[in-house]
Amino acid sequence: MTRAEPPPPAAGLIATAVALHQAGRIAEARTVYERALAATPDDADALYGLGVLRVQEGALDAGIVLLRRTTALRPRHGPALIALGGALARVGRPAEASAAL
């Protein structure tokens, strides 16, 4: 009998961060996303969640960096591409926004 693979180290943290984010508990969600990324720096889900959150907070440049990292890891991550395009449009970079979409 084989044992099931344990979940990735950040999986529980990401689930918690998403729940906090959806509940509008932004500061707490940011902290938990950051903890998830400290454990697994290239986790596309954590990068995406934190990227969206940073854009929502108005930290557009930080959000763009995180969303670019997400799409570098997962080029077909539709929600990340849409969020990246929106953030780029908001900072006045329409050509890059169009390319992201």
Side-chain angles (χ1 to χ4, degrees):
M1 189 154 129
T2 61
R3 295 175 69 182
E5 289 290 319
L13 290 172
I14 296 166
T16 299
V18 168
L20 290 166
H21 194 169
Q22 290 174 341
R25 296 167 60 184
I26 302 301
E28 293 169 89
R30 181 180 350 96
T31 298
V32 179
Y33 281 129
E34 289 169 348
R35 285 180 47 213
L37 286 169
T40 312
D42 288 331
D43 187 292
D45 294 323
L47 288 165
Y48 168 69
L50 185 57
V52 168
L53 184 145
R54 298 299 286 153
V55 168
Q56 289 172 335
E57 290 180 317
L60 299 173
D61 290 334
I64 288 168
V65 168
L66 292 160
L67 293 167
R68 283 196 189 278
R69 285 182 57 200
T70 303
T71 59
L73 292 166
R74 290 185 28 206
R76 294 180 170 239
H77 191 299
L81 292 166
I82 292 167
L84 177 59
L88 288 165
R90 286 178 61 188
V91 296
R93 292 158 54 186
E96 289 179 71
S98 292
L101 299 172

